[in-house]
Each structure stands twice: as structure tokens, then as C-alpha cells.
Amino acid sequence: MKKYSLATLVASALLFVVGCDTDYINDPDNPASAPSTQLFSNAQFDLAFELNDEWVAARGTLQISQYWNSTFYTDESRYALRTSMVDDMWEWPYRILTDLKEVIELNTDPDNASLMLQYGSNSDQIQISRIMMAYTFSKLVDTFGDVPYWSYGQMDNPDFQALRLKEGVTSPSYTDAATIYEDMLNELADAASKLDPSGTTMASGDNIYGGSNAQWIKFAHSLRLRLASHLLDVNPTLANSVFAQSDASAFTSNDDNALFMFGTTDIVGGPWHDAFTVSARRDFAPSLSFTDLLYNRTGPFTGMDTDPRVDSYFDKRLDSEEVVGIPYGFGNAVARAVNDEGIPDAEIIKPDFSQPILTYAEIEFIRSEFNGWNQANYENGVAASMEYWGIDAADVTTYTGALPAASEETVLTQKYIALYMDGLEAWSLYRRTGFPNTLTVPGDTFGDATFTTLVPGLDAIPSRVTYPQNEQLLNKTNWDAARSSLSDGDAMTSKIFWDVN
């Protein structure tokens, strides 16, 4: 069922009100162009919902990163992703990008630009859309590798062929992932520099920052830090240059968090309310590897008290004294033998859940890494995560005061814990660094069962998702070129360029 954000519904209502004074030649009830604020709102809602729903996330990225596991239908936990899941991972970002490009076009087209001024300056609308496009393209690259690409700053680049259907480009070529990364970093810096920090843009359509340009500037610089962290091992010169440029302008507290809050009804509620309440699914539970980490049975924090976030991440079932996780990767028999497995916390399942897009805690862990595993940034990241998840201040102080010293393992393991509900970024962290080293991997055993994948030739946690089958059918020449540049072809074993672990 298609969902619309609250801002979209408000924008539609406004169109109706404006339409009362009818010009039957230029009928405002049937506008030739959608308001930019409505397109932007749709893009935000789809990014928060469709890329974090029960298909893309619950059966995909949240499982690959081993936050969640399947109670039934455990093929996905052995990496046999359904064709429809892979299609969604590819198609939804491009739909989102199409809406954002349309916002840019409305604000550059002389016939529409003056109409769009009611939502903020034309330039500011363009810059915020560029920032959101960079975020969305990063999702595609970090999932697949080389993909068709387009950017406002290089719109005439003949190699950037995505989103150019109006120009007759029906079979776009793929752009090298490293080239995309460099352009995204430039797009974010240029867009942030051109935003009026005192301005308000598309406020009625911006469900993340309420139209605050100042916050979008911080978001752009914070996203640059995330992308730079991915590049640390493969291009440290560029990574450190980006960090030096953007650190001072990035997030400084949880007040800066980029969050999308869903509505309070079934129609505009979040994906987990839709899955667990509306559809009454009970397909998902915590992974045992994650609950063991939170209870400090494994990992670098053994000996410490239980991480208090465990009860904010999950709810106990029936008479369980603690959250019960399901062993990951061992198939149906092992999964179904578990009794009283946990479920996501009620705050996650409620309709108006706030989906994290990018958080201050993550930025503090990035700062710790760039600053040589800095202790203060490390503790700030843990504290910020706990505060975000509602942990009592005294418990935050107690837990952070007991942390072992900052190191690659401790910082990156805490970063993984804090990235809960952002499965793709957690998977990227593991691919890039090998942390946390507590994940269950193919070849591990549980009782008499052995973790074996269902993908021929795959004997490790996947390095990427294979391209959707439609690309092989509808864009074969460019798909052939893309897969030929991959080390193992279009396979889950081929690594994305920043994955040199």
C-alpha cells in the first residue's frame, strides 16, 4: 500500500484551497508541475520508509549486519536474497532521485522557477536537493558498487547518464564507484557553501529539519565525514583532507541528528508499525551475535555490566528474564527451536518512530578514528547514542566511565552498537574494517549445525549485492561492462572499491 507523508497530505490540501479561485485556462486544481515541496516530501518519506522496510532492511541490511534475524524463512540469513528485494534496493533510490532531480528542474526552469519561490529561494531548494541526492546515491554505491550516476555540478558530463530519460537516455552507462565518491564529496561541499545559513527552505515539505538551511549545512558536512571514513584505507590523503575541511561544520550534539519522524496513523506510520502491527508479522527477532554483544558475553567489553541499550533496542517476550536472540545463519531448524525470542522495542514498532538518517553519535566515532582513536570522542559517541535511546543520565555516566581505553576494536565495536537500525552503514563498517569481530560467519557451528550460505561460491559475509536481473535484460551492454570491472564479476564476493579489508 502506497504511503504519503503528513507534509505531502498538507501540501495537497493547500493545492485544493488555492484552486478555489479557478482560472479554467490555467487550472490550479490540475497544475502542470507538482510543487517542489511535495516532491521533496515524497522523496524523504520514501527514503525513510522504502529503504528501511521489512524487505530492504529487515530481510536485507539489518540481517546482513546481524542486528536482526529471521524466525521463519531463513534463506535471507544465508544470503539468498529474493529478486524483489534486490529490485527494491535498486529501484527505490532511483525513484527518490527522480523526485529530487525534478525539484532541481522546477527551480531552474524559467517557466516554473518564479512559482517555486514560495517554498524558498530557487538556489536553496537546488542545494538541499543536491545534498539529498548525494545521500541517496551513496546508498546505491555502498550496496552495489558502480552504478549509473548524475549530479547537478556535472550535469553535462557525458559519463553521468542516470536520470536522463527526458534526454532519451534509456540505457545509462555505469560510473566508476570511486569517481562517484569524489563527485559526491564535491557536490556536498559546493551545495553547503551555496546555502543561505539563515534561510528556511521547503519547510512544509521537510520532515527532517523543518526547512532549516543551517541544519542542512551541518548534515552535508557530516555526510562528508561518513564518506571520508569509508575512504580512509583506500585514499587516506583525500579522506583526511575532507575531514579537515568539514569537521568543524559537522554535528555537535544530538540536536543535530537527521531523523525522519513518521505519522501517528496506519496510513503514514513507519515501516515497523506496518510490518509488526498492521501486517501482524512475527518474522524477525534479534540475532544472538548482537544480544551476546549487548550482554557483554563476547567482544571487547566482557566483564562490564550489560549495555543498557539492550532494553531500548528490544523487548523481552513472555517470561524471559532477558532478550533472547536467534543464532544467525544456521537455518530453519535452529531458528524455530528458540523459545521466547525478543522483538524490536515498542518505540520502534510505534507508528511515529523516528528513523535515524545520520546521527551525532556516528560522527563522534568518526572523529575518534580520524584523531587516532581519541578517547574523548569515543566516550562522547557512546554517551550520545545512549542519550538518543533514552538511557538514564546516571546509567550513561556509569557505563562510559567503565569503558576500556579507546582502540580500533573498542571504538568501532561501539560504533556498530550505535548504528542500530542503520543496517547498511553497519554492514559497510564491517566490510571496511572487519569490526565488530563478533559476527557469526560462514563455517561457524552451533550445536550440530554449521553456517553454510545458500549462494554458490560465497563462503563469507557478502561484499555487495548483485545487480538486479532487469539490468541484465534491459541494460545488458552496460551491465556487461560493469560486471567485467568487478574482481569476481557480478557476484556477492566482488568488493566495492573502498573495501580493502
Side-chain angles (χ1 to χ4, degrees):
M1 179 175 63
K2 179 65 178 176
K3 291 179 167 57
Y4 297 92
S5 68
L6 293 176
T8 298
L9 299 176
V10 171
S12 299
L14 288 173
L15 282 176
F16 179 80
V17 172
V18 172
C20 291
D21 184 14
T22 303
D23 176 342
Y24 288 100
I25 296 176
N26 298 298
D27 184 357
D29 288 337
N30 294 284
S33 299
S36 58
T37 188
Q38 183 172 344
L39 290 163
F40 192 75
S41 177
N42 280 346
Q44 285 190 344
F45 184 91
D46 288 342
L47 188 148
F49 189 101
E50 303 295 350
L51 301 189
N52 298 282
D53 71 353
E54 67 172 290
W55 298 104
V56 172
R59 290 180 171 86
T61 54
L62 286 173
Q63 287 211 39
I64 294 174
S65 56
Q66 294 186 30
Y67 290 133
W68 288 14
N69 200 355
S70 291
T71 57
F72 305 96
Y73 316 118
T74 60
D75 285 2
E76 283 89 9
S77 66
R78 298 162 73 187
Y79 311 131
L81 306 185
R82 305 181 201 197
T83 299
S84 60
M85 291 169 56
V86 177
D87 289 344
D88 284 351
M89 291 175 174
W90 179 273
E91 291 174 4
W92 273 110
Y94 281 114
R95 294 178 190 179
I96 294 162
L97 289 161
T98 297
D99 279 349
L100 294 170
K101 185 169 184 278
E102 183 68 17
V103 174
I104 291 174
E105 290 173 350
L106 286 171
N107 282 279
T108 54
D109 177 7
D111 293 333
N112 289 297
S114 60
L115 296 173
M116 298 305 123
L117 284 172
Q118 61 188 301
Y119 310 120
S121 83
N122 297 132
S123 176
D124 286 351
Q125 292 185 60
I126 291 168
Q127 309 319 322
I128 293 176
S129 296
R130 293 171 76 186
I131 293 168
M132 285 295 295
M133 289 187 83
Y135 181 88
T136 307
F137 268 120
S138 74
K139 294 290 186 181
L140 279 164
V141 174
D142 293 344
T143 302
F144 297 99
D146 298 357
V147 296
Y149 179 70
W150 180 89
S151 75
Y152 175 81
Q154 292 198 55
M155 66 173 66
D156 295 324
N157 188 326
D159 296 327
F160 293 176
Q161 296 186 1
L163 311 175
R164 297 176 70 172
L165 185 61
K166 293 178 183 178
E167 302 170 49
V169 181
T170 58
S171 300
S173 62
Y174 292 50
T175 300
D176 171 70
T179 300
I180 295 174
Y181 252 69
E182 291 183 17
D183 192 70
M184 289 190 299
L185 289 167
N186 291 334
E187 281 290 286
L188 290 165
D190 190 58
S193 72
K194 291 177 178 175
L195 268 176
D196 174 7
S198 64
T200 299
T201 304
M202 295 186 289
S204 64
D206 180 7
N207 287 322
I208 295 177
Y209 284 131
S212 170
N213 288 359
Q215 289 300 131
W216 281 109
I217 292 170
K218 287 186 177 183
F219 177 86
H221 286 287
S222 299
L223 181 54
R224 291 188 92 227
L225 296 192
R226 171 188 279 188
L227 300 181
S229 73
H230 294 178
L231 298 176
L232 256 176
D233 292 330
V234 69
N235 193 340
T237 300
L238 176 59
N240 282 288
S241 174
V242 170
F243 181 79
Q245 294 163 9
S246 286
D247 179 34
S249 300
F251 294 165
T252 56
S253 76
N254 278 329
D255 291 339
D256 297 326
N257 288 342
L259 311 170
F260 186 96
M261 180 180 287
F262 292 97
T264 57
T265 70
D266 291 350
I267 299 297
V268 292
W272 311 125
H273 173 74
D274 186 67
F276 283 86
T277 303
V278 177
S279 299
R281 307 295 303 192
R282 286 294 180 268
D283 295 7
F284 313 109
S287 289
L288 179 62
S289 59
F290 190 39
T291 56
D292 276 352
L293 179 61
L294 293 171
Y295 284 114
N296 290 322
R297 298 186 183 114
T298 60
F301 310 109
T302 54
M304 291 183 61
D305 290 339
T306 295
D307 189 318
R309 284 169 290 190
V310 68
D311 291 321
S312 294
Y313 289 174
F314 301 106
D315 281 346
K316 302 178 181 71
R317 294 289 299 280
L318 303 178
D319 297 324
S320 299
E321 294 183 359
E322 61 180 46
V323 175
V324 176
I326 294 178
Y328 184 88
F330 298 101
N332 289 343
V334 171
R336 294 177 186 180
V338 176
N339 295 317
D340 302 342
E341 70 278 359
I343 60 172
D345 185 73
E347 288 295 305
I348 294 171
I349 295 175
K350 70 179 184 179
D352 53 338
F353 171 62
S354 292
Q355 174 63 41
I357 307 297
L358 188 64
T359 66
Y360 166 60
E362 179 184 344
I363 300 307
E364 280 296 296
F365 291 120
I366 291 171
R367 287 176 170 132
S368 179
E369 182 172 6
F370 274 93
N371 291 326
W373 312 115
N374 178 272
Q375 183 75 22
N377 295 131
Y378 160 57
E379 292 181 9
N380 289 345
V382 176
S385 173
M386 290 187 165
E387 289 163 5
Y388 170 73
W389 286 98
I391 306 304
D392 182 78
D395 291 335
V396 173
T397 299
T398 298
Y399 192 86
T400 55
L403 286 168
S407 67
E408 181 180 24
E409 181 179 16
T410 58
V411 172
L412 296 182
T413 302
Q414 281 292 341
K415 182 179 180 181
Y416 167 79
I417 295 171
L419 282 169
Y420 179 59
M421 297 309 295
D422 190 342
L424 178 57
E425 188 57 26
W427 178 30
S428 296
L429 175 69
Y430 177 82
R431 286 178 286 173
R432 179 176 71 87
T433 68
F435 291 106
N437 57 17
T438 54
L439 301 188
T440 304
V441 298
D444 285 353
T445 59
F446 186 84
D448 295 330
T450 300
F451 182 0
T452 55
T453 76
L454 297 178
V455 180
L458 180 66
D459 60 0
I461 292 175
S463 296
R464 60 184 288 275
V465 173
T466 56
Y467 294 121
Q469 291 182 6
N470 280 343
E471 284 296 288
Q472 302 174 37
L473 298 172
L474 304 176
N475 195 14
K476 187 175 186 305
T477 298
N478 292 310
W479 171 74
D480 280 336
R483 71 188 179 98
S484 68
S485 68
L486 294 165
S487 59
D488 296 328
D490 188 8
M492 298 179 96
T493 54
S494 291
K495 293 190 174 186
I496 294 172
F497 80 102
W498 45 252
D499 179 6
V500 295
N501 176 54

